[in-house]
Amino acid sequence: MDDSHGDAVVHDRAKRAAVLGSPIAHSLSPVLHRAAYAELGLTGWSYDRFEIDEAALPGFVSELGPEWAGLSLTMPLKRAVIPLLDEVTQTAVSVEAVNTVVMTADGRRVGDNTDIPGMVAALREHGIEQVDSAAILGAGATASSALAALARICTGEVVAYVRSEARAAEMRQWGERLDVEIRTADWAEADRALHAPLVIATTPAGATDALAAAVPERPATLFDVLYDPWPTALAARWSMYGGAVVSGLDLLVHQAVLQVEQMTGRVPAPLEAMRKAGERALANR
């Protein structure tokens, strides 16, 4: 398993791609990928969404023909797809999660994870190249990706604020696996996280609302992975106090840029056109 993608993907012939998951109706991926195709002049390309659960995934993947360029995967498929692939990159292996499948010219299915480099790119765009410590709010699948991103940019300790000892143990295991210096703390102390140079909120909508009142007077950087509804109460207060905020849309666009580049072979993908399409779609909701 390595990070090479074999033969270059076919560029201009009409190809298909799609996002799979359950639920999938609110996915912004079609908006972002179609905007990229339009900007790149890939007029014959299509990008759809399919409501697919773990039970239906093997059948769907087995029927993919040569007209397919790739797939985007969301929950609950990021781990379930791994046994169905010919190759998985080290990035995806590191968190046992694939969000991107690329069909190579020789018919192989290669799994990758663009969430991790997408997080790094979104932070870099906001001027965050390196931090000496960080905090993570939450301990789900996104938290492990956040930890993998921090393995690339954080030189010191990461503190994860979690709700249960089982989750704490899981995060410590991820830290060991990813070679990140990690400490876990109880969610009841999560207001302490807000003083870190970088705070990554990976929790569902509403989970961090109560923390908004605890935002310090001079906050540093908040990366909140949510994008709808936006801003979250925490992000709104953070901005009001002059802190830097990286949004879930930033992450979504940057990981989609990497997907488009891998699936189409076109580099660079049109970041700004994709971001504007995402912003328009969210404004219309």
Side-chain angles (χ1 to χ4, degrees):
M1 294 184 177
D2 60 43
D3 276 302
S4 63
H5 287 177
D7 296 345
V9 178
V10 175
H11 289 214
D12 297 312
R13 288 208 303 274
K15 297 289 257 182
R16 295 188 68 184
V19 60
L20 316 181
S22 183
I24 203 64
H26 291 288
S27 173
L28 272 184
S29 292
V31 169
L32 302 180
H33 285 253
R34 289 169 188 168
Y37 298 165
E39 192 75 12
L40 293 169
L42 297 173
T43 52
W45 283 58
S46 64
Y47 189 101
D48 303 298
R49 63 162 71 88
F50 293 95
E51 180 84 19
I52 302 282
D53 61 14
E54 288 156 294
L57 184 63
F60 187 94
V61 170
S62 70
E63 291 173 11
L64 298 175
E67 74 280 11
W68 282 86
L71 301 171
S72 308
L73 299 162
T74 184
M75 299 308 291
L77 306 177
K78 292 183 180 185
R79 188 168 290 180
V81 76
I82 292 174
L84 310 175
L85 303 174
D86 300 304
E87 188 182 317
V88 182
T89 66
Q90 287 298 338
T91 301
V93 169
S94 74
V95 289
E96 293 177 16
V98 164
N99 78 327
T100 307
V101 176
V102 176
M103 318 300 183
T104 64
D106 58 3
R108 289 176 309 120
R109 298 172 185 137
V110 181
D112 193 15
N113 185 308
T114 64
D115 285 331
I116 296 163
M119 280 188 178
V120 174
L123 285 164
R124 187 179 296 128
E125 188 180 38
H126 284 76
I128 309 297
E129 299 274 353
Q130 193 177 77
V131 289
D132 56 16
S133 62
I136 296 176
L137 298 173
T142 309
S144 58
S145 289
L147 206 54
L150 288 170
R152 302 181 179 195
I153 66 163
C154 184
T155 58
E157 184 183 65
V158 176
V159 185
Y161 292 82
V162 300
R163 293 185 186 275
S164 71
E165 180 46 44
R167 290 289 191 163
E170 212 171 87
M171 285 300 281
R172 288 193 293 268
Q173 283 175 352
W174 280 118
E176 202 172 305
R177 181 170 175 165
L178 294 161
D179 198 23
V180 176
E181 183 189 339
I182 188 165
R183 178 166 62 83
T184 54
D186 191 87
W187 184 263
E189 301 172 357
D191 55 336
R192 295 184 185 177
L194 310 184
H195 296 271
L198 172 61
V199 182
I200 306 183
T202 69
T203 49
T208 61
D209 287 2
L211 293 175
V215 173
E217 277 186 21
R218 291 181 183 168
T221 300
L222 170 69
F223 192 160
D224 195 324
V225 303
L226 295 172
Y227 60 85
D228 188 17
W230 186 261
T232 61
L234 182 60
R237 179 67 66 95
W238 202 274
S239 292
M240 193 172 85
Y241 281 15
V245 176
V246 186
S247 76
L249 183 61
D250 292 322
L251 168 59
L252 197 66
V253 171
H254 276 282
Q255 65 81 29
V257 159
L258 296 168
Q259 290 184 335
V260 168
E261 290 176 352
Q262 289 188 24
M263 292 179 196
T264 67
R266 298 293 193 86
V267 180
L271 172 70
E272 285 311 316
M274 294 168 71
R275 193 200 311 276
K276 282 176 184 149
E279 287 169 348
R280 279 195 304 272
L282 286 175
N284 290 334
R285 283 189 178 176

